[in-house]
Amino acid sequence: MKPYNPAVAARSVRQCISQTSRRMIQQRNPTIRLAPASSRCFSSTPTTQHNPTTSGGTVDPTEVSHFNALASSWWDPHGPSRLLHLMNPLRHSFIAQCRSSSPSSQKLRCLDVGCGGGIFAESAARLPNTLSVTAVDPTPEVLRIAEGHKRRDPVLMQPGKLTYLNTSIEDLPKPASDTEAYDIVTLFEVLEHVNAPGPFLTHLLPHVKPGGWLILSTIARTWTSWVVTNVVAEDVLGIVPKGTHEWGKYVNEEELRGWFGKQEGWGEVRSLGVVYVPGMGWREVDGGERWGNYFFGVRREV
């Protein structure tokens, strides 16, 4: 018997999933058009009607309702948000990797967009190199949970340390100058829930100061990711509530690179694939975007 090789095993599983996932997608939802993954483009306009609570329309109101329903369980480490809790250390690790190319002793001002219940925002605000965190989300019930959890920690209650705002990025006032912009703008597990990725990201760009980073995590639109996130995570293992993910909204890494390549003033790009291994948690992997989840960071030029 040959010795077990994790890399070979992973490739074998990926090949098996790739061969069967297209058929499974059609069986589960015949209305999905099976276009090549690379054909997905960034919409120039929102795909649903304007909602008064999400000005600009890039935020899907059905997504707001979905996460409102999950609000009470946000801080349960074994509940529906368990994977977000487990991913949080990797978020900080990736931010550190991005900033390693331009280290600074200056304390950071951070903007967390789509903060949810505050899992990342709270942990970022506690870091010694953080001056302040502003966290925004259009979901009122989730932000109510975030505010309540924040009040348990006197450090977070210090004036200006952590500020929650119930608003969409479209309604957040743009900085009047570069000095009012943020060193770090984060967008974790949000892009796959918006209607029009391009316009949504456009609203974020002015909030990043020159030399600062826009850092996000999202899911690639591949056949493998559909099986992993929609079938295995939601239907088989039940570790993610049903309806959390819509495969057609996933965004591939090359699409992000292409879009930012057309934006003036944006330079260095970094990415990192990650995969969730049951019983072991999240792991960094080469080519992880083919499995689904990946981190993506882009630096605004000085």
Side-chain angles (χ1 to χ4, degrees), residues 78-240:
H78 303 291
S81 299
R82 177 171 177 265
L83 295 188
L84 300 182
H85 287 271
L86 294 174
M87 180 183 279
N88 206 43
L90 275 181
R91 294 169 171 175
H92 289 289
S93 175
F94 182 70
I95 291 173
Q97 291 177 33
C98 290
R99 296 193 64 250
S100 64
S101 62
S102 53
S104 173
S105 59
Q106 181 180 357
K107 288 199 170 186
L108 305 176
R109 297 180 64 248
C110 304
L111 172 65
D112 187 26
V113 179
C115 65
I119 294 171
F120 173 77
E122 280 200 8
S123 60
R126 294 190 183 98
L127 295 177
N129 66 336
T130 299
L131 178 64
S132 65
V133 174
T134 300
V136 304
D137 199 287
T139 315
E141 286 302 312
V142 171
L143 273 192
R144 183 180 62 83
I145 296 297
E147 280 284 2
H149 198 271
K150 163 189 168 181
R151 296 180 183 278
R152 300 180 182 184
D153 188 343
V155 173
L156 301 179
M157 292 301 294
Q158 296 176 15
K161 192 65 173 176
L162 174 57
T163 303
Y164 287 115
L165 299 175
N166 182 203
T167 184
S168 65
I169 188 62
E170 291 91 343
D171 290 334
L172 186 68
K174 292 180 173 58
S177 65
D178 288 339
T179 57
E180 295 182 12
Y182 296 89
D183 302 284
I184 302 289
V185 175
T186 54
L187 185 76
F188 292 129
E189 309 306 312
V190 173
L191 196 61
E192 65 269 25
H193 298 290
V194 303
N195 288 319
F200 183 82
L201 289 171
T202 299
H203 289 291
L204 270 70
L205 302 187
H207 294 278
V208 184
K209 67 168 50 176
W213 284 84
L214 171 60
I215 296 175
L216 61 88
S217 60
T218 189
I219 308 175
R221 196 180 59 265
T222 65
W223 311 126
T224 306
S225 72
W226 186 86
V227 173
V228 172
T229 61
N230 294 79
V231 177
V232 177
E234 294 189 16
D235 294 343
V236 179
L237 298 180
I239 56 178
V240 175

Side-chain angles (χ1 to χ4, degrees), residues 2 8 14 25-26 45 59-60 62 70 80 89 108 131 136 171 199 215 238-239 264 273 281 283 294:
K2 294 182 179 179
V8 173
R14 184 162 57 229
I25 292 173
Q26 290 177 313
T45 56
V59 178
D60 190 335
T62 61
L70 299 176
L108 305 176
L131 178 64
V136 304
D171 290 334
I215 296 175
I239 56 178
E264 184 178 355
R283 293 292 184 269
Y294 63 96

Side-chain angles (χ1 to χ4, degrees), residues 226-277:
W226 186 86
V227 173
V228 172
T229 61
N230 294 79
V231 177
V232 177
E234 294 189 16
D235 294 343
V236 179
L237 298 180
I239 56 178
V240 175
K242 288 189 177 183
T244 297
H245 298 115
E246 184 178 333
W247 185 77
K249 289 184 176 180
Y250 293 176
V251 178
N252 292 335
E253 190 219 17
E254 63 266 26
E255 293 168 341
L256 280 175
R257 285 182 179 270
W259 189 84
F260 275 101
K262 298 176 183 178
Q263 310 306 311
E264 184 178 355
W266 293 85
E268 183 180 356
V269 172
R270 294 198 177 197
S271 63
L272 174 69
V274 295
V275 62
Y276 177 73
V277 182

